[in-house]
Amino acid sequence: MTKTIFITGASRGFGKIWAEAFLKRGDKVAATVRNLDTLNDLKAQYGDALLPIKLDVTDRAASFAAVQQAKEYFGQIDVLINNAGYGLFGAIEEATEQEARDQIEANVFGLLWVTQAAIPIMRAQKHGHIIQVSSVLGVATLPVLGLYNASKWAVEGLSESLASEVKDFGLNVTLVEPNGFSTDWAGASATHSEPIDAYDQVKANFQAGLTDESFGDPEATSDAILKLVDSTNPPLRLFLGKVALPWVKQVYSDRLATWEEWSEVSTLAHGI
């Protein structure tokens, strides 16, 4: 059955790869970008099946207008994929106030505005699937990406609560948790704080821990996303890549061991 997909951040990387995968199999796609020219190739190939929309997701009113435009153009929105966002590289101490605010505005509030705009449409339809592109760094952390980690942890909490709120409306919510992939997320799409020399070794250790095998092929994610949107019982979380799940299992094993070690202190703190 043909689906109508609304996807943000579709100019490159996952967003464009997935938009093309949907179009190729016959779905309809509303794709938001900051520069409409980045979708000229797909528009020429797929015509009216693609609705390009210029959007800065941090603009709440514009986000609502974009979602409504897609609804009026296609008649419905079956799947929302909140993919827009970027990474801020730098130690916590290095981040300026503006850098920190911009990171949260894009990755958290941008996602929130588009989600809020889509829910009433999906609720009226009595069906819909909201897919939030989080990160393995939304459940585990790395140094030098603290503000990005914080933004994705916020997305995790928001979306898990959302899932329980909209379940009875016939809506599903999934958090997609990619490990590293060979996109330009860490390149042209990223921003970098002004460095402080004291963190040079931390950054060197971070870089040393990255290997070619740490990064997956972004094109290989398309089948997983297609299977996800076609599922009648989609998971709340879906890891992408071979690194993410083993790493998170180790992280949670360590956390549980520590929590158990301190469980007596925790219980005594209850007071009764």
Side-chain angles (χ1 to χ4, degrees), residues 29-163:
V29 177
T32 79
V33 292
R34 286 178 178 253
N35 179 0
L36 291 174
D37 290 342
T38 59
L39 294 176
N40 286 345
D41 55 339
L42 294 185
K43 186 63 177 175
Q45 185 172 358
Y46 295 102
D48 291 343
L50 173 66
L51 174 63
I53 303 173
K54 185 175 182 179
L55 176 65
D56 175 353
V57 295
T58 65
D59 184 331
R60 188 175 190 270
S63 294
F64 273 72
V67 171
Q68 187 59 37
Q69 181 183 348
K71 167 65 166 62
E72 292 173 359
Y73 186 85
F74 288 123
Q76 63 185 43
I77 298 174
D78 301 307
V79 179
L80 164 63
I81 303 180
N82 272 309
N83 174 66
Y86 70 96
L88 171 64
F89 284 75
I92 300 294
E93 185 184 352
E94 293 172 338
T96 66
E97 178 180 353
Q98 194 60 54
E99 287 171 339
R101 290 185 181 278
D102 288 347
Q103 179 76 122
I104 301 302
E105 283 285 346
N107 292 4
V108 182
F109 285 109
L111 173 144
L112 174 60
W113 305 148
V114 180
T115 299
Q116 286 182 330
I119 290 173
I121 293 170
M122 292 181 169
R123 190 173 66 242
Q125 295 170 170
K126 296 182 170 57
H127 77 271
H129 191 178
I130 298 170
I131 298 174
Q132 316 285 42
V133 181
S134 182
S135 168
V136 66
L137 298 183
V139 288
T141 65
L142 286 173
V144 191
L145 283 160
L147 268 298
Y148 179 79
N149 288 325
S151 73
K152 293 303 184 181
W153 282 58
V155 167
E156 295 281 328
L158 182 153
S159 301
E160 187 168 311
S161 291
L162 176 67

Side-chain angles (χ1 to χ4, degrees), residues 16 64 75 93 107 161 169 182 194 208 211 229 232 236 245:
K16 190 165 189 179
F64 273 72
E93 185 184 352
N107 292 4
S161 291
F169 303 142
S182 298
E194 187 70 25
T211 65
V229 302
T232 57
L236 176 60
L245 182 55

Side-chain angles (χ1 to χ4, degrees), residues 1 3 79 126-129 167 170-174 225-236:
M1 184 181 295
K3 290 183 169 62
V79 179
K126 296 182 170 57
H127 77 271
H129 191 178
K167 181 179 180 181
L171 278 58
N172 293 305
V173 177
T174 299
I225 295 301
L226 294 178
K227 288 177 183 177
L228 177 63
V229 302
D230 289 342
S231 173
T232 57
N233 186 29
L236 176 60

Side-chain angles (χ1 to χ4, degrees), residues 189-211:
S189 297
T191 61
H192 296 260
S193 297
E194 187 70 25
I196 296 173
D197 293 346
Y199 294 100
D200 287 351
Q201 188 58 55
V202 173
K203 294 174 184 178
N205 293 342
F206 169 74
Q207 290 294 332
L210 303 178
T211 65

